[in-house]
Structures are given as structure tokens and as C-alpha cells.
Amino acid sequence: MSVNIDLAFTVTGVADEPQAWHIVRALQQLMYEEDIAGQVTIGVAVDDDGAFFVSGESDFPLGISRFYLWQPHFEGLFAATVAEVAEGARPEIRWGYPDEEY
């Protein structure tokens, strides 16, 4: 059985703009490997204090089969991907359940 899921994330603690874009490329590769690259938008922004961060979200709800198994798998890969390219950066994933919100 599949469930509709909204995915949103941020990566803070980014050193500078080049590192932010390095994180974006690594996360784009992860999204490609997880077969959701065409459904997730990722970008770089600057907060009010002038610090760079990476953020992304699904463009529409993702239909995920066996989400209860995929969620911890994806969260682990996401954290490992960020740690590999940006030591000290802090990834955060937020899940939404649009079917429950209506």
C-alpha cells in the first residue's frame, strides 16, 4: 500500500555558498538514486543573518509504497549524504501527510 507524503527539508550550518551548492549537487544525486529527482526542488538561500542554507521540497505529494520502511532508509541516506560533503552541517527533514489534512 502506498501513502501520499509531502517532503520538505533544510540544511543549516553551511560554511559558504560553494559548500551550499556542493550539498545541492549531492542531494540531487540522492534524489535521483531514490527515483524522486523529478519531483523534488532543491535550492540555496540566505537567511536574515547572511548565512547560507539549502532547502527543498516535493513539488506535489509523493506516492511512497511501504513508507514505514522507506522513511528511516531515506533519512539515514540523507543525513549521511550531507555529512559526507559538509561536516558540521545540520540536516532536518519534515514530513507532511496531505491525505490526513483534508
Side-chain angles (χ1 to χ4, degrees), residues 80-95:
T81 299
V82 171
E84 185 177 307
V85 298
E87 185 177 335
R90 296 176 301 279
E92 177 190 346
I93 295 176
R94 296 172 307 284
W95 301 105

Side-chain angles (χ1 to χ4, degrees), residues 42-71:
I42 307 172
V44 173
V46 180
D47 68 17
D48 293 337
D49 297 324
F52 286 90
F53 67 96
V54 173
S55 65
E57 64 183 8
S58 53
D59 300 328
F60 46 83
L62 306 172
I64 305 292
S65 295
R66 300 172 71 181
F67 178 68
Y68 67 95
L69 294 174
W70 183 79
Q71 178 184 8

